[in-house]
Amino acid sequence: MLTNNKNVLKWVDEMVALCKPDNVVWIDGSEEQLQALREEAISTGEMEALNNEKLPGCLLHRTDPTDVARVEDRTFICSNTKENAGPTNNWKDPEEMWAILEPMYNGVMKGKTMYVIPYSMGPIGSKMSKVGVEVTDSIYVVLNMDIMTRMGKDAFVQLGDTSNDFVRGLHAKADLDPEKRYICHFPEKNSICSINSGYGGNVLLGKKCFALRIASYQGKNEGWMAEHMLILGIENPQGEVKYICAAFPSACGKTNLAMLIPPEIYAKQGYKVWTVGDDIAWLRQGDDGRLWAINPENGFFGVAPGTNLKSNPNALHTTERDTIFTNVVHNLDDDTVWWEGLDKNPPKHALDWKGNPWDGTTSTEKGAHPNSRFTAPARNCPCISKEFNNPQGVPISAIVFGGRRAKTAPLVYQSFDWAHGVFVGSIMASETTAAAAGAVGVVRRDPMAMLPFCGYNMGDYFAHWLEMGEKLGDKAPKIFNVNWFRTDDEGHFIWPGFGDNMRVLMWILDRCEGKADAVETAIGYEPKPEDINLEGLNLSIDTLKELLTVDPQLWKEDADGIEAFYAKFGDKLPAKLREELNSLKDRLSK
Ligand code: OXD
Ligand code: MN
């Protein structure tokens, strides 16, 4: 036992009595214990060791082919009332849900070992951090949690001997039956239950389940925010660093933006970009009145396909050691890994993500699953911020929202003020692409990129954002919206994206410091075209003007879509947001 905390001991006893494992192992986080677990997982075939020279300390794992992604339709917010979960979550009464779950957990670990994982989300010693305890029957989970969180006995020091403020996470792989897969959150009970899955997003309970769904609910009650945001710092040639948080729906390049490489014109002047986080930010008002952020995670759970030396060299270097690869191609010639979009040399003698023989030079099937992943330690990242472990976090100058819009949203605009910024975040949307099943170009609203991750009524969540703005007053970060995905009439992206996105971030920071001008439009403040630095870029000022155009007709149609979306929230929608929508309509018709 690693703690005297009676609340922890009592809960673990209950979980043991329910799941009936043969053994219970408390994870202290020591290298000896971890190494023994790696060896055990390798000996049972659960994980495979990779080439120790080319990929030292790296492991490969394959999940069940029916278990490769988060399952939103099997994810539930079991609040005491349906209203507390709100119209955007699946809800089930907590008792009814437990009546379904309890028999499934009863004896589920017979013949197995239960691992008890203490972990901290956020740096040990930070007032912004929170502790969780996950019990699981999976070594894969233990080894991933080691990378993604601060795992081990220090987390119990962070919790203390008497506190009851820890998130209880119960995970069992069971038979991986998709029909019986459940990812359930009990916000009022500070607890999470996951069963019949072994895929990261469903089983690394510190990540989406705790750090977003449960934490968003805690944040509302305790006056802070848990957001689906990357955090990056831009250092100027004088050595001053300004921090930006940015929210994008899944698969809009958050990890790439978080680790961006400055274009030559900035690099040669001495600008640098530092990564604090690529997925989740916890934000609190600091003693100075400003908004401060920590990244509660300790690693990156990134999508492998498409990661390459051009799109994201920093991410690729991060995965060169001590990384767990899930559902990628296993190159049998040299015991390394491969995925679509890594390079143009797929291996000939390989196993695909299902473990079947695969010849990348002839096969028409994909070798890696499109949602295959790397779990890599933040310390490996060449551009990791030196503030990464700072218990105070970093002060945020700007909040950026973004989506994938072919025509509607301009490259960048700034909200008129905080409340208007909350409106801008609440109407975030992406258009479906040909990559996903279903119709192309359908607008999917994803407020603040939190649609699948808000652990309570999203109407109350909007109200919480508005309240945070009142508390922050004139110290509040400025709010912006970006769209890297405008297309021309042939459907090609107009803006180059990747590192060149820094040109837009520079205007954003200049606005925060009152150094750049803007043009007032119906939707917000836009840059003067000459204020976006195009040096070294093969893009004309006329094209930039096109990227900044706002088509009132498209926006009027969008306003109708927003109206319909807002209707879902009934009287939970803050009046202020309805006013913002009406003001937008007025401005558009002028
Ligand atoms: C993720 C997601 O895996 O947002 O980060 O889906
Ligand atoms: Mn995410």
Side-chain angles (χ1 to χ4, degrees):
M1 246 90 64
L2 298 172
T3 177
N4 296 318
N5 185 307
K6 291 204 175 57
N7 304 305
V8 173
L9 296 175
K10 177 166 172 281
W11 176 72
V12 173
D13 280 349
E14 284 165 18
M15 295 304 104
V16 171
L18 175 64
C19 302
K20 305 181 178 57
D22 285 11
N23 301 302
V24 178
V25 172
W26 290 69
I27 298 297
D28 60 18
S30 67
E31 190 44 40
E32 292 108 283
Q33 190 186 43
L34 289 166
Q35 193 47 32
L37 289 171
R38 287 181 198 116
E39 279 160 22
E40 185 178 338
I42 292 166
S43 74
T44 61
E46 184 180 352
M47 322 260 300
E48 281 168 71
L50 294 165
N51 185 321
N52 210 35
E53 256 134 56
K54 294 189 174 167
L55 293 170
C58 292
L59 296 168
L60 172 68
H61 174 78
R62 289 185 204 98
T63 63
D64 187 89
T66 67
D67 186 26
V68 291
R70 288 187 290 104
V71 279
E72 285 171 19
D73 58 327
R74 314 239 20 129
T75 298
F76 291 84
I77 301 296
C78 307
S79 331
N80 289 342
T81 64
K82 185 167 171 36
E83 193 187 35
N84 287 351
T88 59
N89 283 310
N90 298 318
W91 175 80
K92 226 180 180 73
D93 173 78
E95 276 171 29
E96 267 175 50
M97 184 54 94
W98 188 240
I100 297 172
L101 294 173
E102 189 178 14
M104 294 203 285
Y105 283 114
N106 193 348
V108 74
M109 296 188 193
K110 273 186 194 152
K112 297 187 177 183
T113 298
M114 175 189 276
Y115 301 96
V116 181
I117 309 174
Y119 63 96
S120 170
M121 296 312 289
I124 301 282
S126 169
K127 279 195 269 186
M128 296 166 89
S129 299
K130 285 201 174 261
V131 170
V133 183
E134 175 167 354
V135 298
T136 178
D137 53 6
S138 159
I139 298 182
Y140 173 75
V141 168
V142 177
L143 297 178
N144 274 272
M145 288 292 280
D146 173 50
I147 298 172
M148 294 306 295
T149 73
R150 279 87 171 171
M151 181 185 85
K153 58 182 180 343
D154 290 349
F156 280 137
V157 176
Q158 169 86 10
L159 180 65
D161 272 351
T162 54
S163 172
N164 198 20
D165 183 12
F166 68 96
V167 173
R168 295 134 170 88
L170 167 59
H171 167 245
K173 280 191 297 189
D175 331 307
L176 301 176
D177 180 350
E179 304 295 317
K180 294 189 184 147
R181 188 167 294 152
Y182 287 97
I183 319 298
C184 301
H185 306 72
F186 301 84
E188 290 98 345
K189 294 203 181 78
N190 238 1
S191 81
I192 305 159
C193 293
S194 162
I195 192 159
N196 278 304
S197 176
Y199 168 76
N202 300 326
V203 301
L204 307 179
L205 300 184
K207 192 176 176 65
K208 303 294 189 181
C209 299
F210 175 176
L212 287 176
R213 298 195 189 97
I214 297 286
S216 60
Y217 174 78
Q218 295 176 328
K220 170 183 135 325
N221 292 328
E222 298 166 10
W224 54 282
M225 305 160 97
E227 298 297 331
H228 191 199
M229 289 178 175
L230 64 91
I231 311 166
L232 66 78
I234 297 186
E235 178 175 334
N236 70 15
Q238 293 72 49
E240 293 153 354
V241 190
K242 301 274 185 237
Y243 295 92
I244 296 176
C245 279
F248 297 85
S250 305
C252 283
K254 281 222 319 285
T255 306
N256 294 349
L257 186 64
M259 299 183 185
L260 81 73
I261 306 269
E264 188 55 31
I265 50 144
Y266 291 114
K268 69 172 189 241
Q269 293 174 61
Y271 282 94
K272 297 189 177 105
V273 171
W274 301 108
T275 308
V276 182
D278 78 327
D279 196 38
I280 301 178
W282 283 1
L283 301 135
R284 251 180 219 267
Q285 188 171 29
D287 295 337
D288 64 355
R290 291 194 293 169
L291 191 63
W292 291 68
I294 60 164
N295 171 10
E297 303 193 277
N298 202 21
F300 307 109
F301 183 62
V303 176
T307 305
N308 58 50
L309 277 178
K310 183 165 179 288
S311 68
N312 195 340
N314 285 318
L316 202 60
H317 294 315
T318 306
T319 65
E320 282 165 354
R321 56 177 60 242
D322 303 329
T323 293
I324 297 173
F325 296 95
T326 303
N327 295 339
V328 299
V329 173
H330 186 179
N331 180 346
L332 296 173
D333 282 337
D334 64 353
D335 245 339
T336 56
V337 292
W338 191 85
W339 48 76
E340 278 68 25
L342 173 64
D343 56 36
K344 299 220 160 66
N345 309 308
K348 191 163 173 55
H349 304 114
L351 298 177
D352 68 6
W353 67 275
K354 292 182 186 158
N356 296 324
W358 186 78
D359 176 350
T361 63
T362 56
S363 178
T364 51
E365 306 258 303
K366 285 198 156 75
H369 188 276
N371 191 36
S372 55
R373 297 278 176 153
F374 54 80
T375 318
R379 62 168 187 273
N380 286 0
C381 179
C383 56
I384 197 71
S385 163
K386 58 180 184 310
E387 306 303 335
F388 179 74
N389 284 311
N390 187 335
Q392 318 292 344
V394 294
I396 300 304
S397 300
I399 290 176
V400 177
F401 295 121
R404 192 183 269 272
R405 303 300 302 264
K407 301 280 174 219
T408 320
L411 179 62
V412 57
Y413 66 100
Q414 180 186 358
S415 71
F416 294 119
D417 54 29
W418 180 275
H420 178 234
V422 175
F423 171 75
V424 169
S426 78
I427 66 169
M428 255 175 75
S430 272
E431 282 149 27
T432 47
T433 63
V440 174
V442 176
V443 177
R444 196 174 288 154
R445 298 275 157 206
D446 187 355
M448 283 85 170
M450 283 290 277
L451 193 66
F453 306 118
C454 181
Y456 62 106
N457 191 308
M458 206 150 212
D460 292 333
Y461 168 82
F462 295 148
H464 180 49
W465 262 86
L466 292 166
E467 278 158 25
M468 287 296 296
E470 312 236 302
K471 269 207 311 203
L472 292 161
D474 61 4
K475 302 255 172 65
K478 305 276 185 277
I479 301 181
F480 299 80
N481 191 85
V482 299
N483 177 25
W484 315 133
F485 301 98
R486 278 278 273 250
T487 53
D488 61 19
D489 294 337
E490 279 93 56
H492 303 122
F493 294 125
I494 307 174
W495 179 249
F498 297 104
D500 289 310
N501 292 337
M502 178 152 169
R503 299 168 189 271
V504 173
L505 299 184
M506 292 302 287
W507 179 76
I508 288 177
L509 286 183
D510 282 348
R511 283 296 291 168
C512 294
E513 285 165 49
K515 287 198 213 145
D517 226 338
V519 188
E520 189 168 337
T521 75
I523 63 165
Y525 298 118
E526 283 204 16
K528 293 187 157 165
E530 61 272 23
D531 286 344
I532 302 273
N533 190 339
L534 296 180
E535 199 189 317
L537 199 64
N538 188 13
L539 192 119
S540 71
I541 191 101
D542 285 334
T543 309
L544 180 63
K545 284 183 189 154
E546 191 186 323
L547 282 165
L548 292 168
T549 50
V550 172
D551 178 340
Q553 192 46 41
L554 283 180
W555 274 88
K556 281 183 194 158
E557 285 161 27
D558 214 49
D560 293 339
I562 298 165
E563 180 102 56
F565 181 66
Y566 272 3
K568 280 190 180 194
F569 299 99
D571 56 12
K572 281 282 187 188
L573 185 81
K576 187 77 195 122
L577 292 188
R578 185 159 298 286
E579 275 169 38
E580 290 289 348
L581 176 58
N582 291 336
S583 316
L584 171 67
K585 286 187 182 167
D586 286 350
R587 291 191 301 266
L588 287 168
S589 51
K590 272 198 196 121

